[in-house]
Amino acid sequence: AEACSRVASLHAALVFSPALLKIIAQQDTAKLRVFANVNMATVFDEVKLRSNADNHIALELSLAHLIAALKAGLTATKVTLRLVQEDHRPLLQAEIETSGGMAIMQKVPIVVMAVHSNASLVEPDVATPEVRLSMPDVGLMRTTVDRMKQFDKLLNIYAKMDEGSVTLGVANEVVSIKTFFKNLHPQAVAAESLEPEASGTAHVRVDVADFARALVATQQVPASTILCISRSSALVLHLLVAGTGDGDFGTITFYLPLSSVEDGDEVDEADNEEEERPSPRKRWGLGAAAEAHGGAGGGGGGGGGGAGG
């Protein structure tokens, strides 16, 4: 939720299902979107969900209000979430029990959403990426992009699978800046082979502020980050979040739409050689953790439920 709040200006959607909690956040500008998929078993000890949409319940709420409510339970011995009504208003109620025997109750206003055929709850259909690279030092890239924001609104990204390289560039009438990241690890589509996709290249252009915002959000959770680029669809940052016990905690995926790239606008290979600076995974090749987290399906509207953790 903390990472998603870096993207959403006001509200986000939560979709509860018996196996998965999905958090969807998007800017008002409808550009950068983030989908977090959390394994329910890693968050809750017990889950009870009942609805006429295959036991899926979708809510719209303020992430800021949710985070504030949950922070009261950081040192609690037990937290129970319930979907309740008060004066005909739906609420997400957090019942918090502390080690000292104190009981705290937090209530977050919500809007119950229809699950069936709700396009806003479905992840974008992105074509097979030409480039998939693991990013071992996202912090360094975040600092670099944050400084580039003052020079232009668009960021050029040049990536090569075979070289394990990413070049970031901005330019205006006065200055042109490029930063080179080397020794990045190609991410295989199939575990047994990197061919033939390993030679993929891509040059795309994205909103520099959106990319910076996504990189900042990746710093909120300990995760392995994979950069995926589909020249015809989107730039995707995919985070594999490790759990504290058995199994993975889940995934967080950021989708950035592309701006047009002019024909012939290619990276200067000579500059790439001269300024080389060493730096520090079916279709997308993001591993079983990603495949397990599909979108919420089902029929009509919401219902009731509760979960304790």
Side-chain angles (χ1 to χ4, degrees), residues 40-51:
M40 293 285 277
T42 65
V43 180
F44 300 105
D45 295 326
E46 182 182 2
V47 178
K48 295 179 181 179
L49 292 170
R50 294 185 301 274
S51 79

Side-chain angles (χ1 to χ4, degrees), residues 131 155-159 167 201-205 229 231 258-259 261-262 264-267:
V131 171
L155 176 71
N156 285 288
I157 301 178
Y158 313 85
T167 301
T201 63
H203 171 204
V204 296
R205 184 175 289 143
I229 301 177
R231 293 194 299 258
L258 306 179
S259 298
V261 176
E262 297 177 3
D265 187 6
E266 299 294 339
V267 66

Side-chain angles (χ1 to χ4, degrees), residues 24-174:
I24 304 107
Q26 182 172 341
Q27 289 180 279
D28 291 339
T29 55
K31 292 183 179 179
L32 173 61
R33 303 178 69 190
V34 57
F35 288 76
N37 298 285
V38 180
N39 291 322
M40 293 285 277
T42 65
V43 180
F44 300 105
D45 295 326
E46 182 182 2
V47 178
K48 295 179 181 179
L49 292 170
R50 294 185 301 274
S51 79
N52 58 358
D54 295 332
N55 293 330
H56 289 67
I57 299 176
L59 314 173
E60 182 183 1
L61 47 65
S62 164
L63 275 180
H65 291 166
L66 177 63
I67 292 170
L70 294 180
K71 280 185 175 180
L74 288 178
T75 59
T77 58
K78 183 179 180 180
V79 178
T80 301
L81 297 180
R82 299 184 190 277
L83 183 60
V84 301
Q85 271 197 344
E86 190 174 274
D87 296 329
H88 304 289
R89 295 181 304 146
L91 300 168
L92 184 64
Q93 179 173 286
E95 301 169 3
I96 302 166
E97 299 178 17
T98 68
S99 57
M102 182 180 296
I104 303 172
M105 189 172 295
Q106 299 280 353
K107 299 179 180 180
V108 180
I110 62 172
V111 175
V112 179
M113 306 172 65
V115 177
H116 180 63
S117 300
N118 194 327
S120 65
L121 304 180
V122 180
E123 297 196 36
D125 185 14
V126 179
T128 302
E130 289 79 19
V131 171
R132 295 166 305 277
L133 293 168
S134 63
M135 308 293 291
D137 196 348
V138 178
L140 177 60
M141 183 175 287
R142 178 192 60 79
T143 301
T144 302
V145 174
D146 196 52
R147 292 174 179 173
M148 286 179 165
K149 289 191 298 184
Q150 61 184 304
F151 298 105
D152 196 12
K153 294 182 179 181
L154 295 177
L155 176 71
N156 285 288
I157 301 178
Y158 313 85
K160 295 184 177 183
M161 281 275 283
D162 56 349
E163 295 181 359
S165 67
V166 170
T167 301
L168 305 180
V170 291
N172 56 32
E173 296 178 354
V174 179

